Amino acid sequence: MAETKQESPLHVVVFPWLAFGHIIPFLELAEQLARRRHFVTFVSAPRNLAKLRPVPGELSPRIRLVSLPLPAVDGLPDGAESTADVTPEKVELLKVAFDGLAGSVASFLAEACASAGRDEEGHGKRPDWIIIDFAHHWLPAIAERHGVPCALFLIFPAPYVAFVGPKAANDAHPRTAAEDFTVPPPWIPSPSPLAVRLYEGKRIARGFLRPNASGVSDMSRFWETEQRCPLLVCRSSRELDGPVCDLLCDIYGKPVVPSGLLAPYDAAAHAGVGDSNDEEEASAAGLIMRWLDAQPARSVIYVAFGSEAPLTPALVRELALGLELAGVRFLWALRETSGDGLLPDGFEGRVAAAGRGMVRVGWVPQVRMLAHGAVGAFMTHAGWSSLVESFLFGHPLVMLPLFGDQGITARLMAERRVGLEVPRDDGDGSVARDDVATTVRRLMVEEEGEAFARVAKELQQLLRDRERQEGYVDELVHNLLKRRNK
């Protein structure tokens, strides 16, 4: 990585939303900053910090973990600190608890600024920046009182950030009905594929535009946060996202700096090593690895839908029966709140007896699974973090997008011929087992699967150009240094 000349290292506070799909790329960014000899204070709830993989030893002096306990909220399970701890319908209560951190954050920042001098170095130096997430609409005002600028780090791919657009563009071209989202927004040059299906538009109108239990809609959170941040950072690269990266600056009217894809290179390099300190989790991982070791090379499709996927009983049933119909080997990682009692009667026993399938309900070390030689494809919700992990190992994709940015991302990946999207009913988004089976077989069994595998390998080479990816972080650091308060 390039050396960055500077008078003094930065002290950056990094504070992600309470979902591991956000926490992990924020941690990757924190480690990249620490590798460049800057100091990072990483903030989250206590249990989330305890679940993080260990920071590499040479970086640990530069990364300080600060835990802020969440306030109790009626209806939120005890100990729930991330989206992985709750069912999808209770995520809005997690946002209520998250907003309750405003007082703790204000106290933390006041102390950090009062006890620090600008001439100090390390974590004793007053923060130069706070890097925040989409949900932090209340934090920029707190930071402004202390003269600390905020940067909004968007972990979503650049095309989705363009599709959402800033508040001013949406005010000029209102989108309130589901149908409004099924065509590209007018601020995107034509022709453009940036649109969603009708069932996805319904979810945006219902779930993102309307206030939830916190009293604020997700879209309002994003818009309020974005408006008060002088710098936006997007988890993207020009090689993958093309001209959309540069278009974002015009759309948002401010600097939008790509961070690169922030792939988990260190985790991939140590993928054969156990990465859980929990005895039960380590035992489960060992069982999975032994099962994979017994399978032929590239014969297994790994199935996982992230830490906050809204899997309904009907969807789980059709997925299960579709995988069984496909007749291919599979490893299915189900989050606990999705797997409890939702699988069809006798399903696990049948696929296990046939030697074709394994289901693990609970934690699974995903990078280790994707790195295993028996895995030949990935069935995914097309969450950006999961796709970046998959790119590292060159796996073609079967995609079943579930919410947010995933539909647009899946369509762009399908257009790029790195994988296939499972067909869904346009009106209600329902999935049929026959379509699951057909899509899986096209990728895993039919001859056309080889073409998808070739494109996946091309993306692997792109992502493994680590020098180029590191260059994006150097560009980001240059912007943070240039714009920090003097």
Side-chain angles (χ1 to χ4, degrees):
M1 69 187 70
E3 290 292 329
T4 304
K5 294 182 179 180
Q6 57 199 58
E7 293 182 2
S8 65
L10 292 163
H11 177 202
V12 181
V13 176
V14 174
F15 187 12
W17 160 239
L18 305 173
F20 277 91
H22 293 239
I23 292 170
I24 297 305
F26 269 73
L27 181 61
E28 292 288 344
L29 178 59
E31 291 182 355
Q32 290 282 5
L33 294 175
R35 290 187 190 282
R36 289 156 177 79
R37 308 188 65 78
H38 301 291
F39 291 86
V40 178
T41 296
F42 193 95
V43 178
S44 192
R47 290 184 66 219
N48 295 339
L49 295 178
K51 292 178 182 178
L52 292 179
R53 56 172 170 73
V55 172
E58 71 275 14
L59 302 182
S60 57
R62 293 181 175 270
I63 298 180
R64 174 180 62 162
L65 304 181
V66 171
S67 64
L68 296 179
L70 294 178
V73 171
D74 288 343
L76 191 66
D78 291 341
E81 294 184 353
S82 77
T83 56
D85 300 326
V86 297
T87 54
E89 61 271 14
K90 289 189 179 291
V91 170
E92 60 182 308
L93 297 179
L94 197 64
K95 291 188 173 80
V96 176
F98 180 76
D99 291 348
L101 288 176
S104 299
V105 171
S107 298
F108 155 75
L109 193 55
E111 181 180 348
C113 291
S115 62
R118 286 194 180 276
D119 295 331
E120 296 184 33
E121 288 194 4
H123 298 110
K125 181 178 185 288
R126 65 179 283 120
D128 294 292
W129 285 90
I130 304 178
I131 297 181
I132 58 177
D133 213 328
F134 83 99
H136 298 59
H137 66 295
W138 43 266
L139 199 152
I142 297 172
E144 285 168 10
R145 291 199 292 269
H146 298 283
V148 181
C150 290
L152 173 55
F153 178 32
L154 299 163
I155 66 154
F156 314 106
Y160 184 72
V161 177
F163 172 77
V164 172
K167 187 175 188 300
N170 281 272
D171 286 345
H173 306 279
R175 296 181 292 178
T176 56
E179 291 78 6
D180 296 335
F181 297 92
T182 62
V183 295
W187 54 84
I188 304 288
S190 296
S192 170
L194 299 186
V196 300
R197 305 265 165 79
L198 181 60
Y199 70 88
E200 294 167 332
K202 291 176 180 177
R203 290 175 183 169
I204 293 173
R206 182 175 64 245
F208 289 89
L209 294 181
R210 297 177 186 174
N212 53 46
S214 69
V216 184
S217 72
D218 285 348
M219 203 69 85
S220 292
R221 283 179 184 272
F222 166 68
W223 284 335
E224 290 179 36
T225 307
E226 178 271 317
Q227 285 177 307
R228 302 189 76 161
C229 290
L231 179 68
L232 305 186
V233 183
C234 188
R235 189 185 186 187
S236 61
S237 73
R238 296 181 183 92
E239 296 79 22
L240 192 63
D241 297 315
V244 176
C245 283
D246 297 323
L247 178 64
L248 291 178
C249 297
D250 295 332
I251 293 174
Y252 284 88
K254 64 179 68 176
V256 184
V257 181
S259 66
L261 297 180
L262 298 174
Y265 294 108
D266 290 337
H270 299 92
V273 181
D275 50 2
S276 174
N277 295 321
D278 183 279
E279 187 174 334
E280 182 180 347
E281 290 180 350
S283 176
L287 181 65
I288 296 169
M289 296 301 284
R290 286 192 293 275
W291 184 84
L292 284 173
D293 288 343
Q295 310 308 315
R298 303 191 65 80
S299 66
V300 175
I301 184 167
Y302 172 63
V303 183
F305 297 100
S307 62
E308 53 181 324
L311 294 174
T312 64
L315 184 56
V316 170
R317 178 177 178 81
E318 294 303 307
L319 279 170
L321 296 177
L323 286 168
E324 189 174 9
L325 276 173
V328 303
R329 293 176 174 85
F330 67 88
L331 168 63
W332 189 356
L334 263 173
R335 62 178 294 199
E336 289 171 305
T337 51
S338 296
D340 188 17
L342 298 185
L343 291 168
D345 290 341
F347 168 74
E348 290 181 83
R350 291 195 304 273
V351 297
R356 287 204 314 269
M358 183 177 191
V359 179
R360 160 65 179 167
V361 177
W363 175 85
V364 171
Q366 180 158 291
V367 173
R368 287 184 70 192
M369 302 300 104
L370 293 169
H372 197 284
V375 173
F378 185 19
M379 186 174 191
T380 172
H381 59 313
W384 199 223
S385 288
S386 288
L387 292 194
V388 169
E389 290 173 358
S390 183
F391 294 159
L392 268 179
F393 303 102
H395 293 312
L397 308 167
V398 172
M399 294 168 287
L400 185 69
L402 297 171
F403 67 101
D405 59 298
Q406 297 161 11
I408 284 177
T409 302
R411 251 129 270 158
L412 291 171
M413 292 299 105
E415 186 179 76
R416 198 178 184 116
R417 300 289 290 171
V418 72
L420 294 166
E421 184 179 356
V422 177
R424 301 183 73 163
D425 182 273
D426 195 48
D428 63 9
S430 59
V431 175
R433 66 194 70 170
D434 289 340
D435 288 331
V436 173
T438 298
T439 308
V440 169
R441 288 187 61 82
R442 284 181 63 190
L443 199 78
M444 295 291 292
V445 178
E446 306 297 337
E447 186 176 343
E448 66 177 316
E450 296 177 5
F452 295 112
R454 283 195 297 272
V455 177
K457 289 296 183 184
E458 292 170 6
L459 282 181
Q460 181 184 31
Q461 294 307 310
L462 184 154
L463 201 66
R464 292 210 167 186
D465 184 351
R466 189 165 180 175
E467 182 177 355
R468 180 170 291 182
Q469 292 297 316
E470 298 275 8
Y472 287 108
V473 183
D474 293 333
E475 180 183 348
L476 170 59
V477 168
H478 173 74
N479 276 274
L480 294 175
L481 288 166
K482 183 173 66 174
R483 291 180 169 85
R484 68 173 166 183
N485 287 344
K486 300 297 183 182

